[in-house]
Short mmCIF file of all heavy atoms in Angstrom, two decimals:
data_model
loop_
_atom_site.label_atom_id
_atom_site.label_comp_id
_atom_site.label_asym_id
_atom_site.label_seq_id
_atom_site.Cartn_x
_atom_site.Cartn_y
_atom_site.Cartn_z
N ASP A 170 -50.17 -22.34 112.92
CA ASP A 170 -51.33 -21.73 112.28
C ASP A 170 -51.80 -22.57 111.09
O ASP A 170 -52.99 -22.79 110.87
CB ASP A 170 -51.01 -20.32 111.76
CG ASP A 170 -51.01 -19.29 112.89
OD1 ASP A 170 -51.24 -19.70 114.04
OD2 ASP A 170 -50.74 -18.10 112.61
N LEU A 193 -37.95 -26.62 115.61
CA LEU A 193 -39.33 -26.57 116.09
C LEU A 193 -39.78 -27.97 116.45
O LEU A 193 -39.53 -28.93 115.70
CB LEU A 193 -40.23 -26.01 114.97
CG LEU A 193 -41.74 -26.06 115.23
CD1 LEU A 193 -42.13 -25.06 116.31
CD2 LEU A 193 -42.51 -25.77 113.94
N GLU A 463 -7.80 -9.69 125.00
CA GLU A 463 -7.15 -8.62 125.76
C GLU A 463 -6.42 -7.65 124.83
O GLU A 463 -6.46 -6.44 125.03
CB GLU A 463 -6.16 -9.22 126.78
CG GLU A 463 -6.86 -9.82 127.99
CD GLU A 463 -5.90 -10.45 128.99
OE1 GLU A 463 -4.74 -10.72 128.61
OE2 GLU A 463 -6.33 -10.68 130.14
#
Side-chain angles (χ1 to χ4, degrees):
Chain A
D170 282 1
L193 172 71
E463 284 179 342

